[in-house]
Amino acid sequence: MTNRLKQLRKEKGLTLDEIQNKTGIKRGTYNNYENGVTEPKLETWQKLADFFGVSVPYLQGISRVRSPKAYRDYETFLNTLYSQREESDDVPLNEFVAFHAVNERETFNQLVNLVTNALGNSDFKQRFTKAIKSVPYDADFKTLSSVNTATLEVFLLGIQAMQGKKEALDAYKEINKILDNRLKR
């Protein structure tokens, strides 16, 4: 399915010029998004979802769950999803994929915020921020999940190293050597 940008714009009775005035997205750029010529970046998907008051997966056309609040927890999501279906309607797999993708993206964003805040004003922070902005909103949620898990594991390892646990300290030193070598590039 194609995205729902045009449908939502028309539901609100807005012209492309009004979209430009209200969102700051140039009319031609928005038109290209509507027609699938170009794909919005992460921040733009979220900005447009907030503007229309819908979930990003709904806006992208990959879910029929309109409310962003439905993605807060699994029970709310299922209740919302099942309340929207016809009795003979099967719940498609893409709905569950959308739920997990939204939640992995949220975890990823929280980890990014934690890391960014911890970096202060450094050259690495600028490179980190630039790299994060290039991650598309629809990045494979399995990869995001893997990154999230690895990030949390390194964080926990760092805590154990600070507590003086020898194995953790040794592993943490190795990770830092790898990072130092990577950052020298």
Side-chain angles (χ1 to χ4, degrees), residues 82-99:
Y82 282 108
S83 71
Q84 294 179 348
R85 71 184 185 101
E86 302 287 321
E87 192 144 330
S88 63
D89 190 16
D90 285 331
V91 176
L93 179 61
N94 66 315
E95 296 293 355
F96 296 105
V97 171
F99 174 80

Side-chain angles (χ1 to χ4, degrees), residues 82-143:
Y82 282 108
S83 71
Q84 294 179 348
R85 71 184 185 101
E86 302 287 321
E87 192 144 330
S88 63
D89 190 16
D90 285 331
V91 176
L93 179 61
N94 66 315
E95 296 293 355
F96 296 105
V97 171
F99 174 80
H100 289 293
V102 166
N103 281 279
E104 284 301 332
R105 171 57 68 186
E106 183 58 30
T107 300
F108 181 77
N109 290 341
Q110 290 173 359
L111 289 170
V112 165
N113 288 337
L114 287 171
V115 171
T116 304
N117 291 336
L119 290 174
N121 271 339
S122 66
D123 180 50
F124 180 69
K125 180 178 181 175
Q126 291 173 354
R127 289 186 294 165
F128 178 78
T129 303
K130 183 178 178 183
I132 293 304
K133 285 184 178 183
S134 70
V135 176
Y137 188 88
D138 59 350
D140 177 22
F141 80 90
K142 291 177 186 174
T143 304

Side-chain angles (χ1 to χ4, degrees), residues 25 40-50 56 129 132-137:
I25 298 170
K41 297 246 185 229
L42 165 63
E43 301 103 79
T44 306
W45 275 122
Q46 191 61 61
K47 179 180 183 177
L48 290 168
D50 292 344
V56 173
T129 303
I132 293 304
K133 285 184 178 183
S134 70
V135 176
Y137 188 88

Side-chain angles (χ1 to χ4, degrees), residues 15 38 141 151 170:
T15 65
T38 56
F141 80 90
T151 302
D170 292 343

